[in-house]
């Protein structure tokens, strides 16, 4: 590959040009990582070497289950992305472009959405008809690369996702300086933000003894209306289906900082099992974030496959399993953290034998408050859950 | 049709059997409507007449635009649903079944989701293999029938939908007894509940001069982070795309009870126009609710088709219109409330001529806070909006 003569660049050029707000410790660390990344490029250029970036591989083959820590982790494989390689030049440029935009966000003390980041960095490259990014599907994976390169959560890069999920219960927290009493939030609850890092949200006072995490907002409303959190001294959360990063990170912090057990009440279907699996061990896509999101000790309270019999439910609430459900259930049964657990094998086997799935909402066919008055308190009192 | 001999039923049988919590005025009115409905059936039965229910037609042909009130309304057409008609017997039964379940919710003082209602009422009919409902797609339209028969909002029937949308700003409200200061809600905001009727939510103190309603949560977060509501004394809301009923109803109450103007900041695309149209005049599906949801005086602040030029945006933020967009835009231009407005015709024409659409997020390509520091304050100060 041809080496070109380049003008020598001052190694401190980048850090000089930015007028910045004062950075807190966390942001200073992230900015430092970006600085190191850019310095490595500047150094290579001044030594007339090929500038390149080492990127830990996010391929499935590099995702490992750490049995000791009981979480998904990335292995040690990485690929390098080089400026003077025709197939890598564009993604090299994109990586630096995004890191520069993130650096600016940090210096401004502002946050944006990943769509906002895309719009910020998208432009026509002068003297060509090429766009830096054609659409957001091009910038999103580069951003994920950047997260692993910088060893930073997306939230630490000042980027948020569409938020979902709510909280109510015996917890007082401080969110950007505002004190929020989650036991005084009416029917609406506290909307869990996308960024819940300790510099944004601090826990102030907690009387709760555990966290009950339910799958859906509608179920959460039943629990909130019945003031379950007051009767049982807990915190109620939901994630609107698969919980977004903000909710997972908040559950992690509640579990690790406040030492609260996390109980999950999810549908009795492969999707419910999968949600639990992600809360517990992390997801394959975001394996590098497991260490700050996964909660290996989270408990699966239900619904269980034998609840149909145990609770005496009517056959009219059964939803037939389809082929996709059956295939998915078998895959989940083979996950390393379920494969050696008899109780989980029995649970998934029984669902397949039943031939149907059950939603938490199906419990209203017993009584509107059966789930809050009977089902959940009984399971917790009997320590009857899967692990 | 054969008339059968039936046992005479006491007209008061229904009201006797229910042990109830004390009903507030609103619930008493709804329960009264259900009582009248059931009484009319009981009366017909005791007179050996065919029991039937008169149901206002929700067909498109019965939806009219009221030019004076400037909202969509239902006309006077109705159809009757009769027990002794083979094609109507099941839906007759379903209508009474749902009204009985709603009656029970009122008496218990509880609320549920429409999925919960489906599960509550679904069961096998004794002595047959028939289910009362096969799936929720069968119970949802019956529920909508019931709403028009009872002239009650779904929320008044104690039913909620998945909620979406948040609020922050200079408003203190009371939600089920909890006082909530929307200017002290941190980054999370107040999650707008699905049921926002006056018996659940009361406005306590309002310093805001207007409401700014934005389309998406990500845009809302930009405004909230920049504390726009504090600088400009307003209330910020979003509806996560097409605003759900709770958000529309809350905007209606803010506009009518607190006399606040409503400004909408939506994407410059047919979907953005449509969201505005629904906020303003109501939707065809829910025309019978327009009178308690539609806000004919809501203003469309932007994005406007000429913002691309006016704001000097880069061509890289343009998103090409597709055939569906073009078709949709032409339909919207023909809505009776846009058809005679020159400014709207010009607006939609220009989008079609431009050949592209623009998202609000595209403004970050100017500057991350351009939308909060420049765009919105300028439009409001210049009274530059569409009506």
């Amino acid at each position: 590959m041809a080496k070109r003569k380049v003008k020598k660049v001052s190694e401190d050029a980048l850090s000089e040009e930015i007028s910045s707000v004062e950075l807190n410790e966390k942001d200073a660390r992230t900015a430092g990582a970006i600085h190191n990344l850019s310095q490595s490029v500047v150094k290579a250029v001044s030594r007339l070497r090929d500038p390149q970036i080492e990127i830990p591989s996010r391929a499935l083959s590099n995702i490992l289950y750490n049995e000791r820590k009981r979480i998904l982790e990335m292995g040690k494989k990485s690929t390098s992305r080089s400026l003077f390689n025709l197939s890598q030049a564009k993604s090299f440029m994109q990586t630096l472009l995004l890191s520069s935009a993130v650096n600016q966000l940090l210096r401004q003390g502002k946050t944006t959405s990943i769509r906002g980041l895309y719009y910020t960095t998208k432009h026509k490259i002068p003297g060509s008809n090429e766009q830096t990014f054609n659409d957001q599907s091009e910038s999103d994976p580069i951003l994920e690369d950047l997260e692993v390169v910088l060893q930073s959560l997306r939230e630490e890069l000042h980027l948020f996702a569409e938020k979902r999920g709510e909280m109510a219960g015996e917890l007082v927290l401080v969110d950007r300086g505002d004190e929020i009493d989650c036991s005084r939030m009416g029917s609406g609850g506290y909307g869990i933000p996308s960024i819940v890092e300790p510099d944004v949200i601090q826990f102030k006072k907690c009387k709760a003894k555990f966290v009950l995490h339910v799958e859906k907002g509608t179920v959460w409303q039943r629990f909130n209306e019945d003031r379950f959190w007051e009767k049982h001294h807990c915190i109620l959360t939901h994630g609107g289906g698969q919980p977004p990063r903000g909710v997972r990170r908040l559950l992690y912090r509640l579990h690790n900082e406040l030492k609260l057990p996390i109980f999950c009440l999810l549908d009795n279907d492969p999707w419910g099992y999968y949600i639990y699996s992600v809360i517990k061990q992390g997801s394959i896509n975001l394996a590098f974030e497991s260490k700050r999101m996964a909660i290996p000790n989270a408990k699966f309270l239900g619904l269980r496959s034998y609840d149909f019999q145990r609770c005496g439910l009517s056959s009219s609430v059964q939803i037939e399993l389809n082929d996709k459900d059956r295939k998915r259930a078998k895959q989940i049964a083979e996950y390393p953290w379920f494969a050696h657990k008899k109780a989980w094998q029995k649970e998934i086997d029984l669902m397949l034998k039943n031939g149907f799935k059950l939603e938490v909402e199906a419990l209203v066919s017993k009584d509107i408050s059966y789930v809050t008055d009977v089902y959940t308190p009984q399971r917790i009192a009997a320590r009857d859950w899967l692990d």
Side-chain angles (χ1 to χ4, degrees), chain A:
Chain A
M1 187 160 312
K3 283 199 180 153
R4 304 183 196 176
K5 190 148 189 195
V6 287
K7 209 179 134 199
K8 212 160 185 287
V9 184
S10 154
E11 294 195 2
D12 285 321
L14 272 165
S15 44
E16 274 163 23
E17 73 186 23
I18 301 156
S19 78
S20 65
V21 302
E22 198 167 330
L23 298 185
N24 64 28
E25 198 185 326
K26 189 200 72 179
D27 289 347
R29 201 168 52 235
T30 313
I34 295 176
H35 184 74
N36 292 342
L37 173 67
S38 57
Q39 284 302 77
S40 76
V41 172
V42 171
K43 261 186 201 151
V45 172
S46 20
R47 288 170 193 171
L48 304 183
R49 297 239 172 93
D50 277 9
Q52 58 183 34
I53 306 170
E54 211 55 37
I55 298 184
S57 161
R58 292 185 289 111
L60 190 57
S61 63
N62 196 36
I63 309 295
L64 309 165
Y65 178 58
N66 183 321
E67 297 221 4
R68 192 179 52 77
K69 296 190 202 154
R70 294 185 296 149
I71 60 173
L72 283 170
E73 279 184 342
M74 289 181 77
K76 301 218 174 300
K77 287 182 210 160
S78 71
T79 53
S80 65
R81 187 168 287 170
S82 169
L83 174 59
F84 294 125
N85 176 323
L86 261 185
S87 70
Q88 294 169 5
K90 187 165 185 184
S91 59
F92 179 90
M93 170 278 291
Q94 291 170 330
T95 313
L96 289 185
L97 185 62
L98 289 192
S99 65
S100 154
V102 165
N103 193 45
Q104 208 179 338
L105 283 174
L106 294 169
R107 305 288 171 175
Q108 290 179 306
K110 300 208 174 187
T111 65
T112 190
S113 63
I114 54 175
R115 183 132 193 98
L117 182 72
Y118 158 69
Y119 273 122
T120 310
T121 51
K122 179 175 183 163
H123 62 261
K124 219 159 82 173
I125 297 167
S128 80
N129 273 323
E130 282 282 318
Q131 299 278 348
T132 51
F133 297 103
N134 289 314
D135 56 46
Q136 198 188 330
S137 67
E138 242 185 296
S139 70
D140 284 352
I142 299 284
L143 174 63
E144 287 177 12
D145 289 343
L146 195 62
E147 290 176 67
V148 296
V149 169
L150 300 176
Q151 295 268 331
S152 296
L153 293 176
R154 182 173 301 178
E155 292 69 26
E156 292 173 330
L157 305 181
H158 282 214
L159 295 167
F160 55 75
E162 268 292 350
K163 64 187 249 218
R164 242 188 355 253
E166 283 144 321
M167 178 155 74
E170 300 198 318
L171 175 71
V172 179
L173 56 82
V174 177
D175 175 346
R176 290 189 193 265
D178 293 338
E179 186 171 306
I180 289 171
D181 183 345
C182 298
S183 70
R184 303 271 303 151
M185 295 299 291
S187 55
Y190 169 66
I192 301 172
S194 175
I195 302 185
V196 298
E197 297 307 306
D199 59 326
V200 179
I201 289 178
Q202 298 92 38
F203 302 134
K204 194 168 170 190
K205 201 170 132 192
C206 176
K207 287 199 290 176
K209 304 272 177 280
F210 62 91
V211 177
L212 178 68
H213 178 79
V214 301
E215 187 168 333
K216 281 169 269 186
T218 48
V219 174
W220 182 91
Q221 283 189 249
R222 172 80 271 125
F223 277 91
N224 189 37
E225 195 173 294
D226 288 346
R227 298 181 79 81
F228 182 88
W229 48 265
E230 191 172 50
K231 282 180 211 149
H232 297 278
H233 304 294
C234 70
I235 295 169
L236 267 183
T237 58
H238 80 88
Q242 179 65 260
R245 302 160 59 114
V247 174
R248 286 180 55 204
R249 178 77 175 139
L250 187 71
L251 289 174
Y252 177 95
R253 291 192 56 205
L254 291 170
H255 180 68
N256 287 285
E257 293 172 32
L258 303 181
K259 309 297 171 205
L260 300 177
I262 311 286
F263 297 114
C264 302
L265 181 63
L266 310 165
D267 287 345
N268 177 240
D269 60 21
W271 182 239
Y273 297 156
Y274 182 69
I275 290 176
Y276 172 67
S277 171
V278 167
I279 291 175
K280 193 176 174 70
Q281 257 79 38
S283 74
I284 287 165
N285 279 339
L286 300 174
F288 64 98
E289 299 190 333
S290 295
K291 63 175 179 289
R292 288 190 276 189
M293 287 202 181
I295 308 164
N297 282 322
K299 315 293 184 202
F300 181 86
L301 211 58
L303 294 191
R304 302 277 292 278
S305 299
Y306 71 139
D307 282 337
F308 176 72
Q309 279 227 296
R310 173 163 62 169
C311 305
L313 298 177
S314 130
S315 61
S316 60
V317 302
Q318 298 172 353
I319 303 172
E320 218 176 307
L321 290 178
N322 57 37
D323 288 345
K324 216 177 118 195
D325 290 328
R326 270 183 285 267
K327 197 179 143 199
R328 199 82 190 82
K330 285 171 194 162
Q331 281 172 349
I332 290 171
E334 285 168 14
Y335 284 175
W337 45 96
F338 290 143
H340 303 295
K341 289 197 178 145
K342 273 191 195 154
W344 267 106
Q345 295 301 313
K346 223 173 117 183
E347 165 65 30
I348 298 175
D349 265 3
L350 185 54
M351 188 178 74
L352 290 168
K353 256 180 228 147
N354 280 345
F356 58 79
K357 44 192 181 179
L358 295 169
E359 292 182 310
V360 175
E361 283 98 329
L363 297 177
V364 304
S365 63
K366 300 277 297 178
D367 176 75
I368 187 165
S369 292
Y370 179 81
V371 68
T372 53
D373 289 348
V374 183
Y375 186 92
T376 307
Q378 276 187 357
R379 295 301 162 280
I380 293 176
R383 303 181 63 82
D384 181 2
W385 53 66
L386 290 178
D387 207 346

